[in-house]
Amino acid sequence: MICVLLNDSDFDRTLSPIEFALEKLGVFYRTWRTFREGFPQYASDCDGLIISGGFTMKGYFEEKGDLYGASFLKNFGKPILGICLGMQVLARLAGVSLVVSRELGISRVWLYEGNDLFKGMKSPLEVCQRHNYALPYVPRGYSVIARNDSTFIQAIASKDNLKYGVQFHPEEIDLGSEIESLKIFSNFASIVERHSTENSGGGK
């Protein structure tokens, strides 16, 4: 099961675009609204994680250090996909301080070949952007896997192929992301399924 860590309180009582996307694709998931419900108690409850966008990293970090959300992610040894704020959380965990970089509307993003998150996808891709911060450099242990002309680091992947982040919003089809961008979720689901199989005795 994929666990969605929903950080956007605008969707407290309604389905978020991420949840709509997963349902459209037939992906089995459960959502934790972190601003109200916190985080999963046990990592074993989840085969993979999606960290949504949002307005605050409350629950993950405070000035004096990491909170439970950050510790949960650090100890989660399975696939993770961070979207917008979610990618920024992954970068913070790797020691990166964010910089102001406002980008709103539709932009064209170039996807790099050779990674499973963008498998079978066209490039460039038009996507919805909605962020005020960005990564100033690539976190240690990661590589850039997508770029655009405004915010260069548009997506990252860890060297162990377990952690992925995208700065844009592939779920926001109604706001202008191409329908093609939903393949990111189906590709991530395949990554999760493969990792689960390989680590449950089912793989070779």
Side-chain angles (χ1 to χ4, degrees), residues 144-187:
V144 175
I145 58 172
R147 64 172 178 83
N148 77 354
D149 294 331
S150 179
T151 303
F152 180 77
I153 303 174
Q154 282 291 331
I156 56 175
S158 63
K159 299 294 180 61
D160 61 4
N161 296 313
L162 281 181
K163 301 181 184 71
Y164 300 87
V166 295
Q167 185 62 75
F168 53 91
H169 288 270
E171 75 279 10
E172 292 287 9
I173 304 303
D174 289 345
L175 295 181
S177 285
E178 291 187 64
I179 192 72
E180 173 93 357
S181 64
L182 292 184
K183 286 185 180 179
I184 289 173
F185 294 106
S186 55
N187 284 341

Side-chain angles (χ1 to χ4, degrees), residues 44-197:
S44 58
D45 291 338
C46 311
D47 297 312
L49 293 176
I50 295 176
I51 314 169
S52 84
F55 304 105
T56 174
M57 292 186 182
K58 181 180 179 181
Y60 296 94
F61 306 101
E62 62 179 2
E63 286 187 18
K64 296 181 179 179
D66 297 346
L67 296 176
Y68 178 79
S71 298
F72 181 82
L73 295 178
K74 280 183 176 180
N75 295 316
F76 190 80
K78 305 172 191 177
I80 299 175
L81 171 61
I83 298 172
C84 197
L85 178 88
M87 183 176 90
Q88 296 166 8
V89 168
L90 293 177
R92 283 281 303 272
L93 289 172
V96 176
S97 296
L98 305 176
V99 295
V100 174
S101 178
R102 184 178 176 85
E103 192 174 9
L104 300 173
I106 307 303
S107 76
R108 182 173 292 180
V109 171
W110 281 263
L111 311 179
Y112 292 9
E113 296 180 358
N115 72 87
D116 290 339
L117 191 66
F118 301 143
K119 185 176 181 179
M121 296 181 64
K122 70 171 188 173
S123 179
L125 186 70
E126 292 197 347
V127 294
C128 172
Q129 303 276 5
R130 194 173 66 243
H131 61 86
N132 293 309
Y133 298 93
L135 280 59
Y137 57 88
V138 182
R140 178 175 295 181
Y142 286 82
S143 300
V144 175
I145 58 172
R147 64 172 178 83
N148 77 354
D149 294 331
S150 179
T151 303
F152 180 77
I153 303 174
Q154 282 291 331
I156 56 175
S158 63
K159 299 294 180 61
D160 61 4
N161 296 313
L162 281 181
K163 301 181 184 71
Y164 300 87
V166 295
Q167 185 62 75
F168 53 91
H169 288 270
E171 75 279 10
E172 292 287 9
I173 304 303
D174 289 345
L175 295 181
S177 285
E178 291 187 64
I179 192 72
E180 173 93 357
S181 64
L182 292 184
K183 286 185 180 179
I184 289 173
F185 294 106
S186 55
N187 284 341
F188 181 68
S190 295
I191 292 168
V192 170
E193 182 177 6
R194 183 172 66 248
H195 182 271
S196 179
T197 299

